[in-house]
Amino acid sequence: MWGGRFAAGPAAIMQEINASIGVDKRMWREDIEGSRAHAAMLAAQNIISADDAAAIDAGLAEIAAEWETGPIEEDLALEDIHMHVEARLKEKIGDAAGRLHTARSRNDQVATDLRLWVRGAIDRLDAGLTAFQSALLMRAEEHAASVMPGFTHLQTAQPVTLGHHLMAYVEMIRRDRGRFADARARLNESPLGAAALAGTGFAIDRQMTSERLGFDRPTANSLDAVSDRDFALEFLTCCLQAGLHLSRLSEEVVIWASQPWSFVKLPDEYSTGSSIMPQKRNPDAAELVRAKAGLFMGALTRLATVMKGLPLAYSKDMQEDKAPVFEAYDTLALALAAMTGMVDGLAFDTDRMKAAASAGHSTATDLADWLVREAGVPFRQAHHITGRAVAEAERRSAMLADLPLDVLTGIDERIDERVYDVLSVDASVASRTSFGGTAPDQVRARIVDARKDVK
């Protein structure tokens, strides 16, 4: 390929470290797609003949058909997917294959291929994220009125509904989809035609190749076009954020499935047993998804470290850009599929969740709010009064709703029998009617909104 400059070939170890075909062969579809667009443009601009362009296009189509059904024969001497395509094309059509690389470089070629690949990966991940959202929405609707404890600091705080809790993750995934969509819009510029770094003297039509490949426009600066990997870093950032959300839900599933809690029973299909303890049902799917957040962090750090000190334009360091991108995509796609299946199959013990919501004086805030609303007590004073009521309930090993009225009026004479209307967990949940609150009607309304967004 570049042997004219050198008297001897590369050492075996140099050949091995230099070759990237083991990784970048994954982009063969994108490479062929970009090459067909480039050849068509060269012919339209009279840079190569129509006959050569037709032969190139037919040969590339044959190669694509071959590789759809069989593996690529890897040759380290050909280094990468670009040269494997060109070498196979030469075997098919002869010297005309050598005209394909006119007015381009592997620098703009690989930048184009990777953008195309990441764009497709985002579209596939969006489908996975949408399926996960749909699973959460289905379970949230099923449990729009199922009461459970809401937590801060992992301590019982206020009653909420399970539907409301699950809808929090729907919102997280909505933001994840938005981040990926934003990243896709930013990356959708074509580097093809930037050549090695300075553009080309051939009268190419970059708008034509950009449109054919589905890009919004060509990149505006040839140096930036070949050296930019912002889009890959942004993709990894999006993967990390989505992975963190999956990890948080996984952690909750692990906690909820443990025997001291027993809020949920895991489906057999997403559990494992123990080699020594026959009673075990381990939440391994959730634990493994939880662990994958570290992989996304590592992938982002890995590529950021590669890029952090590179001068313009292309450096061979950038050959290391693809492995973390591919690994992050594979891992997130798998994690999404696992979490979607697990959410579909979770069996919630709603009686136990409601009982847990009743413990820990979770309606204390409702008592304070009642004092403000019905008795005109300033909130800070109501907070203090409620604290005394909680202390008395703890002394009696009772719940707030079980305290006799004379005990409550002894704490503050402004309390009357109407207070019992707000001290149950059902009343507490039903009262949270502010937009985005946990009241079942609010949860159902947000589910309707979210379904529109998912569609």
Side-chain angles (χ1 to χ4, degrees):
M1 174 181 53
W2 36 261
R5 168 67 177 80
F6 295 85
I13 194 68
M14 178 60 192
Q15 193 173 71
E16 186 169 348
I17 196 173
N18 192 48
S20 61
I21 183 60
V23 174
D24 63 28
K25 64 183 178 183
R26 182 164 187 165
M27 301 190 304
W28 69 261
R29 292 179 183 84
E30 289 76 19
D31 196 76
I32 289 176
E33 182 183 4
S35 291
R36 294 180 77 175
H38 186 65
M41 181 275 296
L42 292 176
Q45 295 298 103
N46 296 314
I47 296 171
I48 65 173
S49 70
D51 288 345
D52 282 345
I56 289 169
D57 190 73
L60 290 172
E62 289 179 16
I63 296 169
E66 287 178 359
W67 288 350
E68 283 287 359
T69 57
I72 297 171
E73 291 186 20
E74 297 179 28
D75 182 351
L76 295 186
L78 293 174
E79 295 187 12
D80 54 34
I81 188 58
H82 322 301
M83 295 312 302
H84 277 71
V85 171
E86 188 172 324
R88 184 68 181 124
L89 184 62
K90 184 176 181 180
E91 291 173 357
K92 285 186 170 293
I93 69 170
D95 289 342
R99 302 190 188 283
L100 175 60
H101 209 54
T102 305
R104 75 173 183 184
S105 161
R106 284 190 297 172
N107 293 357
D108 63 334
Q109 192 176 355
V110 69
T112 302
D113 289 359
L114 188 55
R115 281 181 188 249
L116 288 170
W117 192 93
V118 171
R119 189 178 71 188
I122 289 173
D123 293 343
R124 293 187 293 273
L125 286 174
D126 186 68
L129 288 162
T130 301
F132 182 48
Q133 272 188 310
S134 296
L136 290 166
L137 282 166
M138 180 186 71
R139 303 313 305 272
E141 187 170 39
E142 180 185 347
H143 292 286
S146 300
V147 177
M148 67 172 289
F151 300 96
T152 62
H153 309 278
L154 209 56
Q155 304 291 311
T156 299
Q158 292 177 291
V160 297
T161 66
L162 175 55
H164 190 57
H165 193 108
L166 294 174
M167 285 298 292
Y169 287 98
V170 171
E171 287 297 301
M172 295 180 208
I173 302 305
R174 179 183 61 80
R175 294 194 297 273
D176 290 331
R177 291 181 63 204
R179 272 183 282 268
F180 275 116
D182 289 345
R184 190 191 193 284
R186 263 185 293 280
L187 73 77
N188 207 37
E189 298 181 349
S190 174
L192 193 57
L197 76 162
T200 178
F202 289 97
I204 61 173
D205 184 347
R206 294 190 65 204
Q207 190 65 40
M208 177 181 173
T209 51
S210 176
E211 289 176 0
R212 173 158 172 166
L213 294 173
F215 290 111
D216 294 330
R217 64 192 68 85
T219 52
N221 182 283
S222 59
L223 282 168
D224 180 56
V226 299
S227 62
D228 166 45
R229 293 299 182 271
D230 292 2
F231 67 93
L233 288 164
E234 190 169 8
F235 174 77
L236 292 175
T237 302
C238 294
C239 288
L240 171 58
Q241 185 63 76
L244 292 176
H245 290 152
L246 295 181
S247 182
R248 294 184 74 178
L249 179 56
S250 296
E251 169 70 3
E252 294 198 312
V253 169
V254 170
I255 292 171
W256 292 351
S258 65
Q259 278 67 46
W261 291 60
S262 296
F263 281 4
V264 69
K265 181 180 179 182
L266 297 168
D268 289 348
E269 298 87 347
Y270 293 91
S271 308
T272 64
S274 165
S275 62
I276 189 173
M277 296 169 284
Q279 83 282 10
K280 294 296 290 299
R281 179 191 290 270
N282 297 326
D284 282 11
E287 290 173 351
L288 288 166
V289 170
R290 181 176 60 183
K292 299 303 183 186
L295 183 146
F296 302 125
M297 292 181 193
L300 177 58
T301 302
R302 179 177 171 182
L303 183 54
T305 303
V306 168
M307 298 302 299
K308 70 175 179 63
L310 295 184
L312 296 179
Y314 182 85
S315 297
K316 194 70 169 183
D317 312 50
M318 292 164 67
Q319 183 169 286
E320 298 300 312
D321 58 357
K322 287 167 282 296
V325 168
F326 295 163
E327 186 176 26
Y329 165 76
D330 289 342
T331 303
L332 183 54
L334 180 62
L336 280 168
M339 289 299 289
T340 301
M342 188 167 60
V343 166
D344 275 337
L346 289 174
F348 294 101
D349 188 336
T350 53
D351 291 338
R352 188 174 181 90
M353 297 176 96
K354 185 172 183 178
S358 300
H361 311 297
S362 63
T363 59
T365 306
D366 297 276
L367 173 56
D369 287 348
W370 184 90
L371 285 163
V372 172
R373 189 170 54 248
E374 301 298 333
V377 179
F379 182 80
R380 282 299 163 205
Q381 187 178 347
H383 188 287
H384 181 74
I385 294 167
T386 301
R388 290 173 59 198
V390 168
E392 181 61 23
E394 288 180 342
R395 189 183 71 79
R396 293 169 175 256
S397 298
M399 291 187 288
L400 281 173
D402 295 330
L403 288 177
L405 182 59
D406 64 325
V407 172
L408 290 172
T409 56
I411 294 171
D412 191 281
E413 62 183 11
R414 289 167 290 190
I415 298 175
D416 60 45
E417 66 277 357
R418 294 175 300 161
V419 76
Y420 293 106
D421 292 338
V422 303
L423 292 184
S424 72
V425 291
D426 288 316
S428 175
V429 164
S431 72
R432 307 293 171 180
T433 57
S434 57
F435 184 90
T438 193
D441 286 347
Q442 274 294 317
V443 173
R444 294 185 183 102
R446 301 292 73 74
I447 290 171
V448 170
D449 292 343
R451 283 217 165 97
K452 294 175 184 175
D453 180 62
V454 167
K455 288 179 181 179

